[in-house]
Amino acid sequence: MKKITVMLSLVLITALISCDKTKSKSDSETTKDSSKVESAGNKTVFGKLPDGTEADLYTLKNKNGIEVKITNYGGIIVSLKTPDKSGKSEDIVLGFDSLSSYLQDPPYFGAIVGRYGNRIAKGKFTLDGKTYTLAQNNLGNHLHGGLKGFDKVLWTVEEASDSTLKLSYLSKDLEEGYPGNLKVNVIYTLSEDNALKIDYEATTDKATVVNLTNHTYFNLTAGKRDILDHELQLQSTQFVPVDKTLIPTGELKSVKGTPFDFSKFTKIGARINEKDEQLKLGNGYDHCWVLDHKSGGLETLGALYEPESGRVVEFATTEPAVQFYSGNFLDGKFTGKAGVKYQFRYGACLETEHYPDSPNQPKFPTTVLKPNEVYKTSTVYKFSTK
Ligand code: BGC
């Protein structure tokens, strides 16, 4: 009997141990699985579009405390936290906490801009003998892809992890008036060396024009004041003068001896109110600088620095130009994250892209994409302090 009791106890203990093992195994499997799901983009619901479709928010993070939140609505960079020189992490881009605020037609905070970033004169261009008409949504010209550009569509999430978010979108033939079914991928990658890379890819089944960019407004003080004390450096010796509707006149002008010379770090506010015809037309800086590429590849061609926080954002790009916009149309109408009112010149955009109105300017580098070609550009924003 004693023997049986001992044997039974042994069986019971063995069963309990193996049961416990199974449990701990399944626990660790669950943990592993859920961490997989967690790290599958660290996705949360951002909100619902008017038709009830859900838009999500994805978090990319690295080991040095950089954190980027991006929604698949417009591919918008909603927040971007980087440490200042004392290690304090703060959000350095303008934007909103909720999807509903992005639905109120803000000026492209953080968004992917396309099919054509910046302006096309009178919303018209001719390709292969055919004239295409686009929306005239800015002083009689076409701006940033039209009434419902790539900033206002829901992108498909192809891949998501702690470091990468790949979005895709099919812009149908004649959407916003542009010819060709355009398949677009935009891939955000946050690296351990504190760089956010944005790769753009596109293919078409009919000749079209493409000029994709990102419209993040940086404020390296984390929204404490405007960007006039930020210092800017651009590797550029020429810029693109504009007319009174901000359409290029067609010439390129030397920056030498003008308030457009940022070859050395210079405060944005230092010359912005000077009596200069181009500054008057742009109500400040709202111009395209031709970048002095050495190789034509992905090269570092400029930087933004804010002395108090010590934050630096360097940019590298394959693009031929950058539109530097000093937030001259911000007027306090939009209240963003943490209740901050986005006042006059509260953000600085560094939109790497082709020159404005290239489809109508034969001397500018072409923005035409043909069916047998692949559009591929990259821009990297690298974060540091000094
Ligand atoms: C343009 C500005 C425009 C702003 C917001 C910039 O890219 O150059 O003129 O006001 O975007 O739409």
Side-chain angles (χ1 to χ4, degrees):
M1 182 67 192
K2 205 177 169 194
K3 218 175 170 185
I4 293 171
T5 318
V6 169
M7 274 191 46
L8 267 176
S9 312
L10 270 174
V11 168
L12 204 65
I13 288 166
T14 317
L16 275 175
I17 289 174
S18 76
C19 175
D20 198 43
K21 262 193 196 148
T22 321
K23 185 171 173 276
S24 65
K25 190 175 166 217
S26 76
D27 267 0
S28 76
E29 265 170 4
T30 317
T31 320
K32 215 169 143 203
D33 280 347
S34 66
S35 77
K36 231 193 233 157
V37 171
E38 262 280 284
S39 72
N42 288 335
K43 179 172 99 166
T44 56
V45 175
F46 194 41
K48 279 194 176 152
L49 296 171
D51 70 358
T53 324
E54 196 175 278
D56 294 316
L57 192 63
Y58 293 82
T59 304
L60 314 187
K61 276 186 207 164
N62 77 4
K63 291 200 186 85
N64 311 315
I66 310 247
E67 185 203 83
V68 191
K69 288 189 188 283
I70 304 167
T71 170
N72 58 328
Y73 174 74
I76 294 170
I77 297 176
V78 169
S79 76
L80 204 173
K81 289 187 181 156
T82 70
D84 68 5
K85 61 185 170 193
S86 68
K88 189 175 175 202
S89 195
E90 287 170 307
D91 192 351
I92 60 160
V93 299
L94 307 193
F96 302 111
D97 287 320
S98 69
L99 178 69
S100 56
S101 301
Y102 284 103
L103 301 179
Q104 287 163 21
D105 207 15
Y108 308 90
F109 293 136
I112 298 171
V113 173
R115 200 180 283 203
Y116 197 94
N118 212 281
R119 294 173 174 79
I120 297 180
K122 300 191 170 63
K124 278 198 191 320
F125 69 96
T126 303
L127 198 55
D128 295 337
K130 206 168 162 208
T131 298
Y132 294 93
T133 303
L134 315 168
Q136 296 178 357
N137 55 334
N138 187 268
L139 300 172
N141 299 314
H142 180 77
L143 177 70
H144 294 335
L147 301 177
K148 192 177 178 190
F150 292 179
D151 59 297
K152 293 183 188 69
V153 299
L154 194 67
W155 291 67
T156 302
V157 176
E158 300 287 348
E159 270 173 56
S161 74
D162 274 352
S163 60
T164 304
L165 179 68
K166 179 174 179 182
L167 302 177
S168 73
Y169 178 65
L170 171 66
S171 170
K172 297 231 174 90
D173 186 27
L174 295 180
E175 179 178 300
E176 287 294 325
Y178 293 95
N181 289 297
L182 188 78
K183 278 192 197 153
V184 191
N185 291 326
V186 176
I187 306 133
Y188 299 88
T189 310
L190 178 66
S191 64
E192 289 304 322
D193 67 344
N194 304 336
L196 178 67
K197 186 170 190 229
I198 313 178
D199 292 300
Y200 303 85
E201 299 167 353
T203 52
T204 183
D205 60 1
K206 234 187 243 171
T208 188
V209 294
V210 192
N211 189 28
L212 305 177
T213 192
N214 175 274
H215 210 298
T216 289
Y217 291 68
F218 291 102
N219 183 319
L220 307 186
T221 72
K224 291 181 191 70
R225 57 188 165 273
D226 64 33
I227 48 90
L228 295 177
D229 281 339
H230 286 44
E231 295 176 19
L232 178 68
Q233 184 264 323
L234 296 174
Q235 222 153 290
S236 167
T237 46
Q238 287 181 308
F239 76 104
V240 181
V242 289
D243 68 12
K244 62 176 189 309
T245 67
L246 300 183
I247 291 294
T249 58
E251 22 150 36
L252 303 182
K253 193 174 168 191
S254 167
V255 298
K256 218 168 175 193
T258 78
F260 290 78
D261 188 352
F262 283 99
S263 49
K264 294 197 188 84
F265 275 101
T266 310
K267 275 201 192 323
I268 293 171
R271 302 160 302 180
I272 202 166
N273 294 318
E274 278 185 13
K275 280 200 187 86
D276 175 278
E277 173 70 8
Q278 284 298 316
L279 282 176
K280 233 191 282 160
L281 291 169
N283 198 23
Y285 295 107
D286 191 357
H287 295 78
C288 170
W289 273 254
V290 177
L291 293 169
D292 294 338
H293 273 275
K294 284 194 186 78
S295 68
L298 184 62
E299 288 170 72
T300 301
L301 292 159
L304 192 63
Y305 165 60
E306 196 278 307
E308 201 176 283
S309 66
R311 289 191 178 95
V312 180
V313 179
E314 275 176 294
F315 73 87
T317 189
T318 57
E319 290 281 24
V322 63
Q323 179 84 12
F324 162 48
Y325 168 57
S326 51
N328 314 308
F329 296 109
L330 297 176
D331 57 4
K333 183 177 144 198
F334 290 100
T335 300
K337 291 169 284 187
V340 177
K341 268 198 184 336
Y342 295 149
Q343 307 282 8
F344 190 45
R345 298 180 177 155
Y346 234 70
C349 301
L350 294 166
E351 303 154 56
T352 52
E353 58 194 345
H354 272 248
Y355 312 176
D357 198 32
S358 298
N360 295 307
Q361 303 269 357
K363 286 195 203 138
F364 290 176
T366 184
T367 49
V368 173
L369 182 72
K370 298 198 177 120
N372 55 347
E373 297 170 339
V374 180
Y375 173 98
K376 242 177 186 307
T377 72
S378 302
T379 292
V380 178
Y381 296 105
K382 188 159 187 194
F383 311 105
S384 59
T385 56
K386 68 176 183 187

